[in-house]
Amino acid sequence: MHEARDVVVLRYGHRPGRDDRMTTHVGLTARALGAERVVFPDNAGQSAETVRDITDRFGGPFDVELRGDQKAIVRNFEGVVVHLTMYGERVQDVESEIRESVGLDTAIESAGDGASAPQNLLVVVGGEKVPWALYERADYNVGVTNQPHSEVAGLAVFLDRLFDGAELEREWTDADRRVVPEATGKTVVDAGTDETRAADETRDAGEADETIDSGDETRGSR
Ligand SMILES: C[S@@+](CC[C@H](N)C(=O)[O-])C[C@H]1O[C@@H](n2cnc3c(N)ncnc32)[C@H](O)[C@@H]1O
């Protein structure tokens, strides 16, 4: 196996109020689907707080960073930069090359000698219009279909392709709570003891729902 590499998601641009819910969901999706870290613009403190709160309750490891220098992060990133855009190359055409470059291609990993060293990966998703320089700097401009949709949908599909579904089996550490998968119901247990919170189960699941939605003040649509 190669040494660990980091998958970092960068939310490029944020309009406070209008983008709160989308930015929060970019962070939650990055966390849930296998990234190590999300970087938000420094005016997205409310979204950062929500994602940190979910991580505290439902586990990690996962880091949230607030940074004001997004152009510099992209310019100076040491590793592979993927920019998700509807104008990009089809994800199904480039996913294997990207997986290989970050050491996630199982065929290459098992090849041992001769396999290139894994690199960190920066996945950039936009909000409002992103600068042309980002298209030029990116090692890959990748489209999840060449149809307009959302940064959350694009990120989710891209990460699942990147990890080939392995992220769905992830174990979480330092969680207070764990959701029990079931056909019907909303059961949450104490992660440490696995003791069912019988009386509180519906309330706890409801709290998580509320927190996730807390960035949505329905202040207008995109
Ligand atoms: C709602 S779009 C806005 C795009 C903006 N109008 C522009 O021209 O850059 C916000 C983000 O969603 C992502 N996105 C939208 N459609 C996509 C697609 N088909 N594939 C990959 N990412 C997509 C991109 O990261 C984009 O920056």
Side-chain angles (χ1 to χ4, degrees):
M1 289 285 288
H2 286 304
E3 285 175 23
R5 78 284 156 283
D6 277 351
V7 175
V8 181
V9 172
L10 175 66
R11 167 59 153 165
Y12 202 106
H14 173 81
R15 294 162 293 186
R18 184 173 177 169
D19 286 342
D20 287 348
R21 190 164 191 251
M22 270 299 189
T23 297
T24 300
H25 284 207
V26 164
L28 293 175
T29 301
R31 171 186 169 274
L33 298 185
E36 271 74 27
R37 186 157 50 101
V38 72
V39 182
F40 288 157
D42 56 6
N43 62 353
Q46 188 182 321
S47 296
E49 212 177 291
T50 302
V51 179
R52 284 179 185 137
D53 178 59
I54 291 289
T55 303
D56 285 346
R57 293 200 274 158
F58 289 89
F62 185 74
D63 290 324
V64 183
E65 248 186 81
L66 287 170
R67 297 267 299 263
D69 52 346
Q70 296 186 300
K71 277 186 186 156
I73 294 171
V74 175
R75 194 173 52 239
N76 302 328
F77 188 76
E78 291 182 9
V80 177
V81 175
V82 165
H83 168 220
L84 296 181
T85 162
M86 63 180 277
Y87 304 105
E89 295 181 275
R90 304 183 329 152
V91 64
Q92 59 270 46
D93 294 340
V94 290
E95 63 179 289
S96 158
E97 200 176 310
I98 295 170
R99 287 164 52 78
E100 192 177 313
S101 66
V102 296
L104 280 165
D105 191 296
T106 46
I108 298 293
E109 280 194 31
S110 60
D113 291 347
S116 56
Q119 299 187 67
N120 293 330
L121 177 64
L122 184 69
V123 184
V124 187
V125 294
E128 53 193 326
K129 203 171 170 65
V130 298
W132 180 245
L134 177 55
Y135 289 80
E136 291 183 320
R137 162 62 181 93
D139 297 294
Y140 299 92
N141 289 293
V142 178
V144 176
T145 76
N146 294 108
Q147 303 297 320
H149 50 78
S150 102
E151 47 272 50
V152 176
L155 179 62
V157 171
F158 177 76
L159 289 176
D160 187 59
R161 290 277 176 145
L162 179 73
F163 296 120
D164 199 19
E167 81 287 357
L168 302 178
E169 304 294 339
R170 178 185 173 167
E171 300 283 334
W172 299 91
T173 57
D174 296 328
D176 288 342
R177 299 168 192 195
R178 185 174 67 79
V179 172
V180 178
E182 57 190 344
T184 310
K186 288 172 138 188
T187 304
V188 181
V189 298
D190 281 331
T193 60
D194 263 17
E195 183 186 311
T196 305
R197 297 171 166 224
D200 293 344
E201 63 194 35
T202 307
R203 195 207 61 186
D204 285 352
E207 275 177 7
D209 292 348
E210 277 165 26
T211 307
I212 291 165
D213 284 343
S214 67
D216 180 20
E217 301 295 333
T218 50
R219 297 178 183 98
S221 54
R222 303 178 63 73

